[in-house]
Amino acid sequence: MIPVTLLHTPPHAPRDGAPPLVAAKPAPPSAARSPGISHAANVRDGRPQIVIIGAGFGGLAAAHALRNVPVDITVVDKRNYHLFQPLLYQVATAGLSPAQIASPIRGILRHQRNATVLMGKVSGVDRASRLVFAGTQRIPYDYLIVATGARHAYFGHDEWEPFAPGLKKIEDATDIRRRILIAFEKAETETDPAERARLLTFVVIGGGPTGVEVAGAVAELAKTALASDFRNIDPRLTRVLLVEAGPRVLPVFPESLSGAAKRALERLGVEVRVGQAVTACASDHVMVGPERIETRTMIWAAGVAASPAARWLGAEKDRAGRVVADADLTLPGSPEIFVIGDTAATKDSNGAPVPGIAPAAKQAGIYAAHVIKARVKGRALPGRFRYRHLGNLATIGRKAAVADFGWLRLRGNPAWVLWGAAHIFFLIGFRNRLTVMMDWLWAYISYQRGSRLITGGGPDD
Ligand SMILES: Cc1cc2nc3c(=O)[nH]c(=O)nc-3n(C[C@H](O)[C@H](O)[C@H](O)COP(=O)(O)OP(=O)(O)OC[C@H]3O[C@@H](n4cnc5c(N)ncnc54)[C@H](O)[C@@H]3O)c2cc1C
């Protein structure tokens, strides 16, 4: 018989009206009826079972913060690695290789004895029976932390995606890298000047940090690393446009730093278009308002939508699909379910929305772990979630970046050094830190980019 009932008795009853953890949960009828369904091997010793969906910044921070708590944790992720998304654009622009910004989840949690890692794509949650569905797995939980992040969104124009891919996964980054490098290869052999110009025009859509970083890196790639590699084209004549619908790039930064970023982009030769919205994307052009720009390569950095967690949970969501969470990051009516990071719409104590950035996801993960710890140990609960903003950083290219810590604003070289140091510091894994540092040093000295591989199909495939 498949063991579908989980019984446990926590040391202390919860103090905050959370559902009693001492009750036996009913056997989930659907699982019991389904032959061939296996259960995660995480039912141990009657200790509270914590399931964390997603081993991104939020999920991993929660798992780490629960390392000394008498609970059993199951971390479920559809990938076997944690991805450092802030450096994805460097993979997309041939600066780094994928393995330098990803670390196996099992490796990260190998010393944490109370954590088990499961690779599986979650497709649903049964709140009544407290089960997570991932493939054939039915994973029982007492506390659930949903940390499934976000993906890109096209403001209702999903038909643009094939022409203007977004940057969220390793596969997106290697696809964008392929598109960029193939455009140069095709331009080298193209005899029609109009098509050649189209191939050498790159349009980045969205002027937030990712768009700014991608546009700067594509311009640098063309004007330095590729500059003397071709015989029939001059990559330095490449046209890079950055299109932003709002009035300025980097809208979360103070105006002075936005202006500095715009000027730094322009020094690299990027045409910055602000206050202009993209109205259509096709295989050979993009419409920016009424203007048609001929291009073969567009990169989408404009919008994000949360994972489908709201649907699994049958929960209220905001316009971006994010689950609306209570002040303690739990789902209204389900104090055993926490929703954190990019997949949650959370407000700070002053009513401001918590931004979708890595430090916010980490802080939320640690906070959820503290609430669970307090409940399991029968201690006083921490107050509401309070987000502490540490600052904003964005790089534009070699020796150019902006940094805003509120009390300190930096631009140019000092901001760039700080940006590099912060990213190396937060990367997971000593080997990754070392190799990224070496590659950046090499790129700095040689102006070269070591990861210029076209994978997943060449020009004639
Ligand atoms: C290109 C890019 C650049 C960025 N740059 C910065 C930056 O410079 N600074 C910064 O602070 N933030 C940056 N961010 C934002 C930052 O990466 C996110 O805010 C952060 O990753 C959110 O953490 P999270 O834990 O909510 O989700 P994520 O880190 O996205 O993790 C979600 C995890 O859930 C897993 N998952 C998703 N769906 C399922 C499912 N159905 N089943 C199982 N597992 C699932 C995923 O595989 C993933 O491992 C950037 C984001 C992108 C895309």
Side-chain angles (χ1 to χ4, degrees), residues 248-264 402:
R248 58 191 175 99
V249 297
L250 300 180
V252 299
F253 283 77
E255 260 185 89
S256 59
L257 293 183
S258 285
K262 180 169 180 278
R263 288 190 295 279
V402 285

Side-chain angles (χ1 to χ4, degrees), residues 92-93 154 160-167 176 179-180 183-184 196-208 210-219 222 237-245 265 269-274 276-289 291-302:
T93 53
Y154 288 81
W160 296 351
E161 184 165 12
F163 312 117
L167 188 55
I176 290 171
R179 289 175 189 236
I180 294 170
F184 286 102
R196 188 186 279 179
R198 199 178 285 124
L199 284 163
L200 291 178
T201 301
F202 298 85
V203 180
V204 181
I205 304 161
T210 301
V212 165
E213 288 170 352
V214 170
V218 173
L237 301 179
T238 297
R239 198 175 165 209
V240 182
L241 291 95
L242 176 65
V243 184
E244 163 58 41
L265 283 166
V270 177
E271 289 175 40
V272 181
R273 307 280 192 94
V274 290
Q276 298 181 19
V278 165
T279 51
C281 296
S283 66
D284 58 355
H285 72 275
V286 57
M287 296 298 297
V288 179
E291 186 187 354
R292 180 182 162 114
I293 297 170
E294 300 291 329
T295 175
R296 289 281 181 201
T297 315
M298 290 146 258
I299 298 153
W300 186 261

Side-chain angles (χ1 to χ4, degrees), residues 57-58 61-65 340 359-372 385:
F57 288 101
H64 280 143
I340 62 168
K362 283 186 180 181
Q363 290 176 30
I366 293 167
Y367 171 86
H370 286 168
V371 175
I372 291 172
F385 174 61

